[in-house]
Every structure is written in structure tokens, then in C-alpha cells.
């Protein structure tokens, strides 16, 4: 397939933090996603093949809950009923559906991970990525050796080769870390799916600037879905609303949504054009001019955030804060914090 349409579906998120029955709210969210995806397919047309949903669209995010509390309240199981229901949406609409959720793992029962999963039109798991950079949530890097023993490095940095091209995922603020996008691009990624929940603005925000940079640096499309509002928490509901967008491989916006629930952020992705550009010699072909060996050697000298910080117990919020303070002290000296 040389071209198709992709949609960053901007939907409202209902937080489950104080809910008596959080699973019922998740089911309601999935029902809304099903209806809106079907409507989007009818509105946009049969060439809509990729739908990206916002970050933590089923639950919202922890707002003071401990890791144990949030795992029990909001984490879904791989292959569980929530994923099964989302897979039925992908099948019914013949789309690849990208969803971000908090997820349990039987190999790490004391933790949860923030996962992004792409479900294919046959209802299969096409890709599962666990977020690596997170301020107050566990990540595979925190249990690095155990995680690699179980899953291997390819599962940490997955790229799915599909009829829609080579798909990869960058979650939320990870768009601000260029190494992740570059590693995925070197593994072949052509389309970055970017679930996010962020403050939007008429001005370019740091994440909006980073999306353009990651597209340009890696000659990749970016499909970025933001929330269409957030309910159930004391922060203003439109703080995370609007700005979902589709960028081409030269960083140009192809479509962008305003605030509220919206299907406006939809555009055609031309894989043939992207592949021609990547194979075209010239100064603009930045991906072909990368020097990985140089930066691998340089990065090896630096000690910032270390792997394997977690043992077998769930961390407190204070643990995450102290981890960052330690990294700052390694960067700037013992009196930096």
C-alpha cells in the first residue's frame, strides 16, 4: 500500500481516580472510541487505515495514587477484556488502532508499565511498546536486566513492518528525547504514532517543536493524538485539549485539530514519497548522514540516569524524585540539589 489516510482521533478522557467502579468507566470509554472510530471511518472514507488515540485514554493518569493503588485501579492485562474490546474495533473498521494504557505484567507483578499497543485489522497485537522515559511511573529501564532477560531488546524498541509501512511508537513526553526516535528510525520506522495528553497552545509548545524536529531528523511521518479534554480531576478540563496533528517527513503540518473532540487531524500518508526522499542523495537526507559509532562512544562516557534502580518492591513517589536529584548531582556536582 503506497498511500492511505491516518487519523489522530482527539477524544475526551474520563479519569478513573475517584471512581467507585473504574472498570465501568473504561468500558464506557471503549464504547465511545468504538462509536467515534466508526463515525470517523464513515466520514473520512475507506482509505482511513491508521487511527491513533490519545495517551491513557481509558483512565487518565495517577494523581497522587501509589504504584500499588494505580496498578489495582487502572492497569489492564495484556490480552484482557479491554484489549479484546479494542481489537474488535480494529477488526470492525479495518484499521490499525494505536492505544495507550497502563498495563500489568505477570513477570513484574509489583509494577505497572505505560504501554502503547497497535492492534491490527485482524484483531492481532502488531506492536507493544512500554514507555522508557517517565517521571513518576516505572519503566523497563528501572528493571533493565530482568526485563531484557524476559523480552529482549527488540521488544524494548519495536518496529512493526506492516502494509501501512514500518510503524513505531513514541509516547507523550518521549518526543522530547531525540535518541528514542533516532533508534527507531535506524531500525526502519517510517511512521511515528504519538499518543499524548498535553497542554496545547496557539504558540508552539516544546512538544510541538519536538514533533517537527523528530519528523525532520528522521524523515518520518508523525501522527500525534492529544486528548480532547480531561474530566474527573481538579485541573481545568481543557488543559489537555487540542493540537492533535499529522506531520509529513519534512516536519510540515498536514492537518491539525482545535480543542475538543475532533476528527480533523487526518491526512494522507504517502509512503512512496517518503521512501523516494529517504533514497535521494543530498544534504536534506539527514538519516543517511548519522554517525552512530561516534555518539555510542561519547554517550558511554556519561553517567546520568542509571538502569536497574528498582528491586522487587513497588517504588514510592519519593523514590522517583530522589532518582532525578541523584542524576542532577552526577551532572553538576554534589551540591547541585
Amino acid at each position: 500500500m503506497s498511500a492511505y489516510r491516518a487519523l489522530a482521533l482527539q477524544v475526551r478522557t474520563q479519569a478513573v481516580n475517584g471512581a467507585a467502579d473504574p472498570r465501568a468507566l473504561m468500558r464506557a470509554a471503549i464504547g465511545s472510541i468504538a462509536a467515534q472510530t466508526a463515525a470517523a471511518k464513515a466520514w473520512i472514507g475507506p482509505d482511513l487505515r491508521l487511527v491513533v488515540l490519545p495517551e491513557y485514554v481509558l483512565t487518565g493518569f495517577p494523581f497522587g495514587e501509589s504504584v500499588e493503588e494505580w496498578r489495582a485501579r487502572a492497569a489492564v492485562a495484556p490480552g484482557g477484556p479491554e484489549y479484546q474490546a479494542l481489537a474488535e474495533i480494529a477488526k470492525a473498521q479495518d484499521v490499525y488502532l494505536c492505544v495507550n494504557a497502563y498495563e500489568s505484567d505477570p513477570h513484574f507483578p509489583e509494577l505497572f508499565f505505560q504501554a502503547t499497543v497497535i492492534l491490527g485489522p485482524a484483531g492481532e497485537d502488531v506492536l507493544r511498546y512500554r514507555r522508557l522515559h517517565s517521571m513518576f511511573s516505572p519503566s523497563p529501564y528501572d528493571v533493565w536486566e530482568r526485563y531484557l532477560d524476559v523480552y529482549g531488546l527488540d521488544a524494548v524498541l519495536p518496529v512493526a513492518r506492516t502494509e501501512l509501512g514500518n510503524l513505531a511508537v513514541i509516547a507523550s513526553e518521549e518526543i522530547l528525547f531525540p535518541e528514542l526516535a533516532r533508534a527507531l528510525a535506524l531500525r526502519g520506522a517510517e511512521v511515528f504514532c504519538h499518543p499524548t495528553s498535553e497542554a496545547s497552545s496557539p504558540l508552539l509548545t516544546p512538544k510541538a517543536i519536538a514533533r517537527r524536529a523528530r519528523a525532520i531528523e528522521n524523515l518520518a511521518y508523525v501522527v500525534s493524538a492529544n486528548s480532547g479534554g480531561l474530566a474527573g480531576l481538579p485541573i481545568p478540563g481543557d488543559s489537555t485539549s487540542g493540537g492533535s496533528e499529522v506531520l509529513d517527513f519534512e516536519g510540515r503540518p498536514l492537518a491539525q485539530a482545535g480543542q475538543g473532540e475532533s476528527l480533523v487531524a487526518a491526512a494522507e500518508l504517502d509512503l512512496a514519497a517518503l521512501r523516494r526522499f529517504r533514497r535521494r542523495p543530498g544534504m536534506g537526507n539527514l538519516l543517511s548522514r548519522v554517525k552512530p559509532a561516534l555518539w555510542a562512544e561519547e554517550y558511554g562516557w556519561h553517567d546520568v540516569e542509571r538502569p536497574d534502580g528498582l528491586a522487587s518492591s513497588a517504588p514510592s513517589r519519593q523514590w522517583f524524585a530522589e532518582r532525578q536529584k541523584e542524576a542532577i548531582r552526577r551532572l553538576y556536582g554534589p551540591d547541585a540539589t
Side-chain angles (χ1 to χ4, degrees):
M1 181 177 297
S2 64
Y4 60 92
R5 297 187 79 80
L7 166 65
L9 183 57
Q10 194 166 281
V11 300
R12 178 176 172 271
T13 296
Q14 175 65 51
V16 304
N17 303 66
D21 188 349
R23 302 292 156 172
L25 290 183
M26 292 187 211
R27 290 191 294 271
I30 293 169
S32 178
I33 291 166
Q36 294 193 19
T37 303
K41 184 82 175 205
W43 184 275
I44 294 168
D47 60 343
L48 174 62
R49 300 300 315 286
L50 174 63
V51 177
V52 179
L53 298 172
E55 184 183 17
Y56 40 68
V57 66
L58 304 183
T59 60
F61 56 89
F63 201 69
E65 291 86 356
S66 68
V67 168
E68 298 96 326
E69 290 169 335
W70 194 249
R71 184 181 65 247
R73 173 166 289 273
V76 300
E82 295 85 4
Y83 279 126
Q84 292 175 22
L86 290 161
E88 288 302 317
I89 298 171
K91 289 171 63 175
Q93 303 307 325
D94 190 32
V95 297
Y96 287 78
L97 184 67
C98 177
V99 61
N100 178 280
Y102 293 97
E103 189 173 86
S104 61
D105 186 318
H107 298 287
F108 303 91
E110 73 280 9
L111 303 177
F112 63 79
F113 298 109
Q114 189 181 358
T116 305
V117 178
I118 299 179
L119 301 161
E124 76 279 25
D125 289 359
V126 172
L127 178 150
R128 169 170 273 100
Y129 168 76
R130 264 82 178 266
R131 179 172 168 175
L132 294 166
H133 303 82
S134 185
M135 186 65 192
F136 290 110
S137 292
S139 84
Y141 194 67
D142 298 324
V143 287
W144 190 235
E145 293 301 326
R146 281 200 291 156
Y147 199 91
L148 291 179
D149 286 345
V150 174
Y151 292 109
L153 187 59
D154 287 344
V156 175
L157 297 168
V159 175
R161 283 151 176 82
T162 76
E163 61 181 314
L164 304 188
N166 300 336
L167 307 180
V169 165
I170 302 172
S172 187
E173 68 168 350
E174 290 195 303
I175 201 73
L176 300 171
F177 294 87
E179 299 89 349
L180 175 60
R182 176 55 50 80
L184 293 169
L186 291 173
R187 285 172 168 256
E190 298 171 313
V191 179
F192 293 138
C193 300
H194 180 233
T196 187
S197 186
E198 63 187 66
S200 62
S201 169
L203 304 176
L204 284 175
T205 63
K207 286 186 183 180
I209 293 168
R211 281 191 285 272
R212 285 147 181 78
R214 301 297 85 84
I216 294 165
E217 294 164 351
N218 299 295
L219 309 180
Y221 284 105
V222 178
V223 184
S224 178
N226 193 21
S227 304
L230 175 63
L233 288 175
I235 64 172
D238 283 333
S239 297
T240 61
S241 181
S244 297
E245 59 185 353
V246 181
L247 305 175
D248 77 1
F249 49 85
E250 293 186 271
R252 295 174 296 210
L254 302 177
Q256 189 178 77
Q259 287 195 323
E261 295 192 309
S262 176
L263 51 68
V264 167
E268 183 179 74
L269 307 191
D270 187 342
L271 292 177
L274 179 150
R275 290 167 180 170
R276 284 196 304 272
F277 197 92
R278 282 187 169 187
R279 289 158 177 77
R280 178 179 178 270
M283 291 180 65
N285 193 337
L286 300 178
L287 196 57
S288 68
R289 301 173 62 200
V290 171
K291 298 173 175 61
L294 167 63
W295 304 120
E297 185 171 350
E298 173 62 21
Y299 270 47
W301 287 99
H302 301 287
D303 181 17
V304 189
E305 187 173 300
R306 295 173 177 173
D308 278 320
L310 291 180
S312 58
S313 60
S316 66
R317 189 175 179 89
Q318 182 59 35
W319 181 88
F320 292 106
E322 186 55 37
R323 174 182 63 177
Q324 186 181 38
K325 290 178 183 178
E326 289 176 359
I328 292 170
R329 287 192 287 267
R330 284 193 286 272
L331 280 169
Y332 305 115
D335 298 326
T337 60

